[in-house]
Amino acid sequence: METCLECKKPTETVIDKCTGDTICTECSLVISDHYIDDSQEWRTFTNDDNSDRDPNRVGGPTNTLLKSGGIGTIIDKGRENTSSVSKTNLYELCRTQNLVRNTEDELIEKACREIKRISEGLGLISSVKFRACEIVSKFDGDNSKRLRREKHLNALCAAAVSTACRELKLSRTLKEISLVAGGVDLKDINKACRIIRRLVGSDQDELAPSSAAPQVIINTGELVSRFCSKLDISVRETKAIREAVEKAENFDIRRNPKTVLAAVIFMICQLSQTRKRPIREIAVAAEVAESTIKNAANDMYPYASKIIPSWYASEEDINKRLGGTIGSWDAARLTA
């Protein structure tokens, strides 16, 4: 309550935020003007058709990955100079800004946009994208020269996404990332991965010199859901494949995890009562050569009855159906 000079007593007042006036509710006298609001500055922007209901915005959040926080001033020349600054002074301000601007932040912002594009193409979660951007943000100072060339930038972004996936235990192969990253060569991504490992490893050594960086081993079971989804395999068959892959780890099968999974998918599909998938489709989904899948299935056949769940297929069915297929492969190989 404030004292009204007209009413000569304390009265209730209201503040007109449009004009900044403090008004008495009894006699409507303007007690004071130019009220300063010290609360948060919210501005409301609405469309002409009033379809956007009260979208309050105060600008984007600060970017903790950038030295400047992502907050900066851009001086635009503009086509029509409507300001009080002369054209000569405006060009001088633009030239000065170009001299003092932070090019490292611009490179990192560009890399973060590329990482966002790759992550969306692979359908990755936001935590992977943030971790990849965090890795790229370490390329400052002398390391920023690696981001200046477009080829190196794309390779480092792809390698950062791959490193983030491995740290968060998500299965994404370099070939998948390479395809989404605009066809970056696998050799360049591998080279960039080694650079990132050295950079991230040195940071971890500074924090904990006595401990080495942990190596993340991706379990084959993580690939089951994705490959089975590509092949449109039923829930029952997916469950059998998952159990078979887990049991296969107990045997001495000296094959790549992806190859083991592809061979298990092939064997389960051969035993399927509904729909059999040709080996060509499995090879495309698992990114493994057909001949490699055949050789792996041949090596795993002696353990098939112990690997494949008994509730899915009996030992007799396994020997009958898989034995004939794999036996025909051996016969064809001998004749060749």
Side-chain angles (χ1 to χ4, degrees):
M1 297 178 66
E2 294 188 26
T3 301
C4 176
L5 299 178
E6 185 69 24
C7 301
K8 295 182 181 179
K9 64 177 181 179
T11 58
E12 295 287 342
T13 58
V14 293
I15 298 174
D16 187 353
K17 293 188 177 181
C18 294
T19 60
D21 296 335
T22 304
I23 305 171
C24 176
T25 57
E26 294 188 8
C27 65
S28 301
L29 177 70
V30 177
I31 299 175
S32 62
D33 56 1
H34 296 93
Y35 171 78
I36 299 176
D37 188 3
D38 57 359
S39 61
Q40 288 182 331
E41 183 182 359
W42 293 94
R43 298 183 63 191
T44 301
F45 301 85
T46 56
N47 296 335
D48 295 336
D49 56 356
N50 204 24
S51 60
D52 218 2
R53 295 185 179 180
D54 195 24
N56 291 317
R57 299 190 295 269
V58 292
T62 57
N63 191 341
T64 57
L65 300 178
L66 303 177
K67 291 182 178 179
S68 64
I71 301 174
T73 302
I74 298 175
I75 302 175
D76 189 11
K77 298 177 182 178
R79 296 183 179 179
E80 296 181 1
N81 185 13
T82 57
S83 64
S84 59
V85 183
S86 65
K87 191 173 182 179
T88 304
N89 291 338
L90 188 62
Y91 275 98
E92 187 67 23
L93 288 172
C94 294
R95 190 175 69 85
T96 305
Q97 186 192 33
N98 291 333
L99 292 175
V100 300
R101 68 181 182 180
N102 194 337
T103 56
E104 290 182 9
D105 283 359
E106 293 179 0
L107 290 172
I108 293 173
E109 284 181 328
K110 184 178 179 181
C112 288
R113 287 194 295 269
E114 177 65 14
I115 288 172
K116 181 180 178 181
R117 187 188 67 81
I118 296 173
S119 300
E120 290 177 352
L122 292 170
L124 298 173
I125 55 179
S126 58
S127 57
V128 175
K129 180 179 68 175
F130 179 79
R131 176 54 184 157
C133 293
E134 192 177 29
I135 292 172
V136 169
S137 67
K138 297 181 183 295
F139 285 87
D140 54 359
D142 295 336
N143 293 318
S144 63
K145 61 184 179 181
R146 299 184 184 277
L147 300 175
R148 299 185 187 279
R149 291 184 61 183
E150 190 74 21
K151 180 181 178 182
H152 292 170
L153 176 69
N154 294 338
L156 280 172
C157 291
V161 172
S162 175
T163 304
C165 287
R166 292 186 66 84
E167 289 183 0
L168 297 174
K169 299 182 180 181
L170 294 177
S171 53
R172 289 297 185 275
T173 61
L174 287 181
K175 189 174 182 180
E176 287 179 285
I177 297 174
S178 173
L179 292 174
V180 179
V184 182
D185 191 60
L186 292 177
K187 292 182 179 179
D188 295 334
I189 298 179
N190 277 320
K191 184 178 179 181
C193 284
R194 289 194 293 270
I195 295 172
I196 288 175
R197 279 198 294 270
R198 287 197 298 268
L199 184 64
V200 175
S202 62
D203 292 342
Q204 291 178 350
D205 291 340
E206 291 177 2
L207 296 174
S210 60
S211 61
Q215 294 294 327
V216 179
I217 300 175
I218 298 178
N219 191 352
T220 315
E222 298 176 11
L223 299 170
V224 173
S225 299
R226 192 151 51 90
F227 288 174
C228 291
S229 177
K230 287 182 180 180
L231 293 167
D232 193 22
I233 294 177
S234 65
V235 177
R236 182 173 180 270
E237 292 172 349
T238 303
K239 182 181 178 181
I241 291 170
R242 190 178 299 277
E243 290 186 15
V245 168
E246 292 176 357
K247 291 180 180 179
E249 295 178 356
N250 300 324
F251 297 92
D252 186 19
I253 303 173
R254 300 181 181 182
R255 292 282 179 174
N256 185 283
K258 283 177 60 179
T259 305
V260 172
L261 174 57
V264 169
I265 292 175
F266 170 77
M267 290 191 292
I268 294 294
C269 289
Q270 289 296 310
L271 297 170
S272 175
Q273 301 289 343
T274 56
R275 178 187 168 191
K276 295 183 179 181
R277 274 73 178 177
I279 193 170
R280 182 177 301 175
E281 291 184 9
I282 299 173
V284 172
E287 300 174 359
V288 179
E290 295 182 30
S291 58
T292 305
I293 297 176
K294 291 180 180 180
N295 293 334
N298 192 16
D299 294 342
M300 295 172 62
Y301 175 69
Y303 314 108
S305 59
K306 299 178 181 178
I307 291 174
I308 298 173
S310 57
W311 58 263
Y312 184 80
S314 63
E315 185 175 355
E316 183 180 354
D317 291 337
I318 293 172
N319 295 331
K320 181 179 178 182
R321 297 182 185 180
L322 291 182
T325 304
I326 295 177
S328 63
W329 290 346
D330 293 337
R333 187 165 51 185
L334 290 173
T335 55

